[in-house]
Amino acid sequence: MFTVEEFFVIRDLHHQGLNISQISRKTGYHRNTVRKYLAAQTVPTSAPRRTRLSKLDPFKEYIQQRICEYSLSAARICREIQDMGFDGKCTIVKDYIRTIRPQAPVQAVLRYETKPGVQAQVDWGECGRIEEDGRVRKVYCFSMILGYSRMRYMVFTLSTDVSALIQCHLHAFDYFGGYTEEILYDNIKTVILKRALRASDHQWNPKFEDFFRYHGFVPRLCRPYCPQTKGKVENSIGYVKRDFLLGGTFSSLDDMNRQLLQWLNRVNATPHGTTNEIPFERLRQENLKPITAIPAYRLRREEYRKISREAYISYLGNRYSVPYRYAGREAVLELHDDQMTIRVGTEAICLHIVVPGHARVIREKKHFSGLLGEAMRCNSQSRAASRPLFTMAPPQVEHRPLSVYDTFADEVRS
C-alpha cells in the first residue's frame, strides 16, 4: 500500500525539477503511478474491501460449540453440518477448525541418565526375511546398549526364544568386557512369565532366572505403555535399520553379522549425538562387572522330539540316527553350541554334531548294529507262530455195509 511518506517524496522530487521518468527510475514506481500521485491533491486512500460471505458463516457458531464440548474430527463435523444444509467442501471446514481448536500441550519427557556401570537396556527388533537352509525365515536383531557410555552391541538371529536371548547376552558381555548391575527389559515371556505389583513376587522365566542369578545382575522391567523408559535402545533399533540394513547386500546370516560387527566398531568409535563423546572412551569409566570373575555360563537348550520307527529324530530339517531299540520313544535334545545330546529319560543315548544344510541324513552304523539279525529272528518267530489262512479238507468217502455189495453181486449174476 502506498504510504503518505512515499507520496510526499514523489512530490518533493518533482519540485526539485525531476521529470516523471527520472522520478520513476529513482523511486522504482511505474511512470503511471508517479503521474497519478503528482496529479492528486490529497493523499489517496484505498477503499475498504467488501467482506466476502462464506458458506460456512451460518454454521460457525455450531462448530465452535461442538469443538468446545468434544474434540470431534473435522470430517465428523462436516457430515453434521451437511445434514443441516451446508453444501460446501470439507476443506474450508478443516481450515476453520484448525484456527479454533485448542492446541494440546506437548507432554514433556524427563530423560533418565544412568551412572557408570549401573544399567543397560535390551530390546528385540524384526528386520525382514532371508532364505536360510532352503527356507524363508524372519530375521531378528538383538540390541543392548550401556546407559552411561552409549556403547552398542547388536547381533542378528533367527529366533527370539530364551536360549537365543541368553546366547546374545553372552556375546554382548564378551564384546563389552563385562556387564552392568541391572538390565532393563520389555515385558516379554522369555524374561518374565507373570508380572506382580512387587518385584519380589514376579514369576520369571526359569531358564532366564537361572542365567541372571548366576551372573548376579538385576533384571528391571519397563513400565507398561511407557516407551520412554527404554528410549535409548529403541533408538538403536531404528538406527541400525536406517544406517546399516537399508540398501545393504548380504550373502547369509553370518555375513550380515560380520558386516554388522564392523559397523558397530565404527559407530562406537564416533562421538554420540547426545553425549558428544566417543562410546569406546566412555566405556573405560563404566566399571563393569568383569566376565572373568566367574566361570563361563554353560548354556544348554532343550527341545523335545519323538523318535521315528526308523530310529531317527528330526532337527532343523535334518535327520539324525539313534540306537534302534529306542524307536518310538520320546526324546530330549540338549543343545550346546554345535553339539546335540539325545536323552531318553535320564539316559544319554547318543551324541551328534549339528550339521548345516537341509534334508540331510546323519546315520551312524553302530546305531543299527544287530537290527538285521533281530528283524530276521522276529520274522521267523512270526512265521512259526502264525496260523494258516485256510485248511484243505480230505475227500469224503461213503462207508457201506458188506451186505450191500452182496446184493449188488447177486443182481449182476442173475
Side-chain angles (χ1 to χ4, degrees):
M1 182 179 177
F2 207 77
T3 64
V4 176
E5 181 180 359
E6 292 169 329
F7 173 76
F8 285 110
V9 167
I10 290 175
R11 298 182 70 87
D12 183 61
L13 292 175
H14 181 67
H15 289 315
Q16 294 178 20
L18 276 67
N19 58 32
I20 292 177
S21 296
Q22 292 172 329
I23 295 174
S24 176
R25 287 193 295 271
K26 192 172 184 64
T27 60
Y29 289 108
H30 195 272
R31 292 190 301 274
N32 292 340
T33 303
V34 174
R35 188 178 291 109
K36 172 184 174 181
Y37 288 112
L38 287 177
Q41 298 300 319
T42 59
V43 179
T45 57
S46 59
R49 290 185 178 182
R50 291 172 49 191
T51 304
R52 293 180 57 187
L53 296 177
S54 170
K55 292 183 178 181
L56 198 61
D57 288 343
F59 308 97
K60 286 184 176 179
E61 184 177 351
Y62 174 79
I63 294 173
Q64 293 173 3
Q65 179 183 353
R66 294 292 280 165
I67 289 294
C68 289
E69 292 176 350
Y70 306 100
S71 183
L72 301 178
S73 66
R76 165 77 178 275
I77 292 179
C78 185
R79 290 196 303 269
E80 291 182 359
I81 62 176
Q82 282 175 344
D83 294 338
M84 298 168 62
F86 175 69
D87 61 353
K89 295 184 178 180
C90 286
T91 305
I92 61 173
V93 180
K94 293 178 180 178
D95 292 342
Y96 176 67
I97 291 177
R98 192 177 296 115
T99 63
I100 65 172
R101 188 186 296 277
Q103 296 295 320
V106 177
Q107 179 65 44
V109 176
L110 178 63
R111 178 179 289 275
Y112 176 65
E113 296 294 342
T114 56
K115 295 180 180 179
V118 173
Q119 190 184 85
Q121 298 180 5
V122 163
D123 196 23
W124 286 105
E126 188 176 325
C127 299
R129 289 171 168 80
I130 64 169
E131 184 175 345
E132 191 79 4
D133 293 335
R135 291 187 298 166
V136 176
R137 304 181 64 181
K138 289 184 179 180
V139 177
Y140 303 95
C141 180
F142 169 88
S143 176
M144 180 182 288
I145 184 169
L146 302 183
Y148 174 76
S149 64
R150 300 304 201 276
M151 275 286 293
R152 297 179 177 92
Y153 175 77
M154 298 178 184
V155 64
F156 294 114
T157 70
L158 299 178
S159 173
T160 59
D161 62 16
V162 64
S163 298
L165 178 67
I166 294 174
Q167 187 65 65
C168 291
H169 275 72
L170 295 174
H171 290 326
F173 294 169
D174 185 62
Y175 183 76
F176 296 142
Y179 50 95
T180 54
E181 296 176 6
E182 59 184 48
I183 302 179
L184 186 64
Y185 300 94
D186 278 328
N187 297 271
I188 52 178
K189 292 297 183 183
T190 50
V191 172
I192 186 166
L193 299 180
K194 186 176 181 181
R195 181 168 181 159
L197 294 176
R198 294 185 303 177
S200 58
D201 296 332
H202 289 335
Q203 184 180 347
W204 302 100
N205 184 298
K207 293 183 179 179
F208 190 74
E209 183 176 13
D210 178 73
F211 172 71
F212 73 70
R213 292 194 185 282
Y214 181 85
H215 284 86
F217 68 85
V218 179
R220 300 292 187 192
L221 300 176
C222 289
R223 295 197 303 272
Y225 312 108
C226 189
Q228 292 85 2
T229 310
K230 200 160 56 64
K232 299 182 183 71
V233 75
E234 295 283 357
N235 292 337
S236 294
I237 294 293
Y239 185 38
V240 75
K241 290 181 179 179
R242 296 190 307 270
D243 196 69
F244 174 72
L245 285 176
L246 189 62
T249 302
F250 314 101
S251 60
S252 65
L253 184 69
D254 289 339
D255 182 46
M256 291 178 69
N257 282 321
R258 186 165 49 251
Q259 294 189 42
L260 178 64
L261 184 60
Q262 297 173 355
W263 178 83
L264 282 171
N265 291 335
R266 179 180 60 80
V267 168
N268 288 326
T270 305
H272 191 271
T274 301
T275 64
N276 295 317
E277 295 185 40
I278 297 174
F280 270 129
E281 295 181 356
R282 285 173 68 97
L283 178 63
R284 300 170 187 162
Q285 307 170 35
E286 284 278 10
N287 296 321
L288 301 175
K289 295 182 178 180
I291 56 175
T292 56
I294 56 176
Y297 184 81
R298 184 174 176 83
L299 173 63
R300 292 192 307 174
R301 200 153 43 96
E302 292 183 353
E303 295 200 15
Y304 297 87
R305 295 291 189 276
K306 184 173 182 178
I307 302 172
S308 69
R309 293 183 61 188
E310 294 82 10
Y312 285 93
I313 59 98
S314 177
Y315 178 68
L316 295 180
N318 295 323
R319 300 174 69 208
Y320 299 83
S321 67
V322 301
Y324 71 88
R325 63 181 179 275
Y326 295 100
R329 301 278 298 276
E330 297 289 338
V332 178
L333 313 185
E334 291 186 355
L335 300 143
H336 176 67
D337 295 334
D338 62 344
Q339 291 186 349
M340 176 171 60
T341 302
I342 303 175
R343 291 183 176 274
V344 174
T346 58
E347 180 184 3
I349 62 174
C350 63
L351 176 68
H352 282 285
I353 301 297
V354 178
V355 298
H358 187 68
R360 298 179 62 181
V361 177
I362 297 84
R363 183 180 188 276
E364 292 192 16
K365 294 179 63 175
K366 64 181 181 180
H367 291 164
F368 302 92
S369 177
L371 176 60
L372 179 59
E374 187 173 323
M376 292 177 66
R377 285 194 302 273
C378 288
N379 290 338
S380 62
Q381 292 173 1
S382 179
R383 285 195 299 270
S386 62
R387 299 177 62 182
L389 294 177
F390 59 91
T391 57
M392 294 295 293
Q396 298 293 326
V397 179
E398 185 179 358
H399 296 280
R400 299 176 181 178
L402 292 176
S403 58
V404 175
Y405 294 99
D406 292 342
T407 304
F408 180 74
D410 293 340
E411 290 179 356
V412 172
R413 285 195 296 268
S414 60

